[in-house]
Amino acid sequence: EAIHCLPTLALNDEDCQQEMITIEFTDGDDQDESGTVLREDVITALKERGLLPQSSSSNNTLRLPLNCNNLRSSSQQYHTIQYTLPTTSLPIITREPIRPKPSLDDLTSQRRFGVDNTGQIRVWDCASTLAHALPTISRVADDAAARGKRRRVIELGAGSAGLAGLSCALSGDDVILTDGHPSSVTSNAIAAILTSAAAAVAAAAEESLELRVRARRLLWKCDEVGAGDCASLGNSSFDLVLVSDCLHFRECHGGLLATMGRLLRVGGCGVLCQPERGGTMRLFLELVKVLNLEGPFWNVQVEDTVGEELRKRHEEYLGREDYNPDVHYPKIVILRKEREFVEGEDTCRILECLKKRKSPELAC
């Protein structure tokens, strides 16, 4: 469901001009397979934060005062977090779960929704690392700006925050935040609204401001259903695909690689922020090579360091009992797409490789 946020001017009860933000929900698939209605969840969360009157109706258009001082949630399940980036004064504001331990619903998430719930347990370190690292990777899909167009960016497995995607939105990109879990999609939609509102407050002096951010549910699949889901978002249309710490379940590698191959345009880049994590990154890169056997598909670059500050911390922490580089030290993987993805042929190559490694292919 698309969410567009625009600041406007309105008259308040005292006949004074007051900045407002208008949130429009576009028509579309309002209800996902789990029966969770995204619009209703967003409205409930905004009411919890005092950003929307309790009596507000569930219309397609909401109008909120541009006052983001009251962002503390009254819910016992969630709290609101503000992130700052070194390249902009505009904050990212997210709605994140407060959970000291996984619930029964978390543990049975794979059965109910076809995807694990790790993205709702916490915001993992690679997400914030990728959000900070992206501005320094200047060569990534930079030709979109040269062509005078907004970059089209999609984040896969965005979890409960979508930090990397929201950082791109604050830079003026057209962004879609996706996850397979309905709760994460709701959290991403709320983060998009809160971040848009905060950006409008900070830039109130400007004549117009629009953050183009959408939240959608997307499972990664190596089949016709997966191909159709990607086509609904726009095959071969994205300049940038973002992924942070999503390689830990090796049974998801095939679906993730096929999804990236479908969505990216030729010349576009997939950027992954990922620790080695028990050899799972190596296994994914082996799968990447399979698509290069009949001619180049991916141009692959792996960067061992994510900025000077992180490298210094890595060297400082080496030798500590609570620091394991295999889990805690991320690398940046850049995959530049060199040719079009051929659905039947390329998915068959992926599935054949998975069969040889005896890894089941699941929707993720």
Side-chain angles (χ1 to χ4, degrees), residues 122-133:
R122 56 166 291 186
V123 175
W124 300 94
D125 294 339
C126 282
S128 57
T129 300
L130 182 56
H132 280 76

Side-chain angles (χ1 to χ4, degrees), residues 14 72 78 86 119 137 141 166 182 199 229 254 263 269-270 284 301 319-320:
E14 284 136 10
R72 189 176 299 279
Y78 300 96
I137 310 175
L166 287 172
D229 290 343
L263 293 175
C269 287
F284 179 77
Q301 299 176 21
R320 282 177 44 165

Side-chain angles (χ1 to χ4, degrees), residues 15 24 35 77 94 117 175 180 237-238 253 267 301 307 356:
D15 252 358
E24 296 181 355
Q77 290 184 302
T94 64
N117 196 34
V175 177
S237 67
F238 289 91
H253 287 182
Q301 299 176 21
K356 289 179 181 179

Side-chain angles (χ1 to χ4, degrees), residues 22-327:
T22 298
I23 301 170
E24 296 181 355
F25 296 88
T26 64
D27 293 333
D29 296 331
D30 191 31
Q31 191 166 354
D32 59 40
E33 297 172 10
S34 70
T36 301
V37 180
L38 175 62
R39 183 179 308 160
E40 297 298 326
D41 287 349
V42 169
I43 290 171
T44 298
L46 292 172
K47 288 179 179 179
E48 287 178 354
R49 283 156 184 76
L51 295 173
L52 193 65
Q54 293 295 328
S55 59
S56 296
S57 60
S58 302
N59 297 324
N60 275 8
T61 301
L62 302 176
R63 301 183 73 202
L64 313 179
L66 284 184
N67 179 3
C68 293
N69 295 324
N70 183 20
L71 291 175
R72 189 176 299 279
S73 174
S74 60
S75 169
Q76 298 301 309
Q77 290 184 302
Y78 300 96
H79 57 176
T80 305
I81 304 295
Q82 178 170 310
Y83 295 85
T84 57
L85 300 173
T87 54
T88 177
S89 60
L90 300 177
I92 294 174
I93 300 177
T94 64
R95 192 275 302 257
E96 300 177 17
I98 305 172
R99 282 185 183 157
K101 59 181 179 180
S103 66
L104 180 61
D105 285 344
D106 295 331
L107 298 175
T108 59
S109 174
Q110 184 74 46
R111 297 179 185 175
R112 298 176 63 206
F113 304 121
V115 66
D116 68 273
N117 196 34
T118 53
Q120 278 296 112
I121 293 175
R122 56 166 291 186
V123 175
W124 300 94
D125 294 339
C126 282
S128 57
T129 300
L130 182 56
H132 280 76
L134 276 173
T136 67
I137 310 175
S138 59
R139 64 185 177 281
V140 173
D142 53 5
D143 60 327
R147 290 183 283 118
K149 296 182 179 181
R150 282 179 180 246
R151 289 190 308 183
R152 292 203 73 211
V153 179
I154 186 166
E155 183 170 0
L156 306 179
S160 59
L163 293 180
L166 287 172
S167 72
C168 288
L170 290 176
S171 298
D173 296 328
D174 192 337
V175 177
I176 302 180
L177 306 174
T178 70
D179 199 277
H181 200 286
S183 296
S184 291
V185 177
T186 300
S187 292
N188 289 333
I190 293 168
I193 290 173
L194 296 177
T195 300
S196 295
V201 170
E206 297 186 11
E207 293 183 1
S208 64
L209 175 70
E210 180 181 9
L211 262 62
R212 299 185 183 182
V213 190
R214 289 183 285 163
R216 288 283 300 273
R217 190 178 184 209
L218 179 66
L219 293 169
W220 312 331
K221 299 179 182 179
C222 270
D223 58 17
E224 293 181 357
V225 175
D229 290 343
C230 289
S232 69
L233 294 172
N235 279 341
S236 300
S237 67
F238 289 91
D239 301 291
L240 194 58
V241 172
L242 306 175
V243 184
S244 58
D245 207 355
C246 290
L247 303 183
H248 42 286
F249 293 122
R250 61 187 67 187
E251 60 268 24
C252 297
H253 287 182
L256 174 59
L257 189 61
T259 300
M260 294 178 66
R262 294 168 181 142
L263 293 175
L264 278 170
R265 65 170 175 81
V266 174
C269 287
V271 180
L272 300 89
C273 185
Q274 176 70 35
E276 295 280 356
R277 202 179 283 284
T280 54
M281 186 173 77
R282 175 183 55 79
L283 285 173
F284 179 77
L285 291 177
E286 289 177 1
L287 191 61
V288 166
K289 293 177 182 178
V290 169
L291 294 185
N292 287 349
L293 294 178
E294 301 297 327
F297 186 95
W298 297 113
N299 179 291
V300 183
Q301 299 176 21
V302 181
E303 299 186 357
D304 288 335
T305 59
V306 187
E308 185 65 18
E309 181 180 354
L310 191 61
R311 184 189 63 79
K312 289 180 179 179
R313 291 189 182 186
H314 165 67
E315 294 175 350
E316 176 185 345
Y317 293 161
L318 284 174
R320 282 177 44 165
E321 293 184 1
D322 58 349
Y323 179 68
N324 180 1
D326 182 70
V327 176

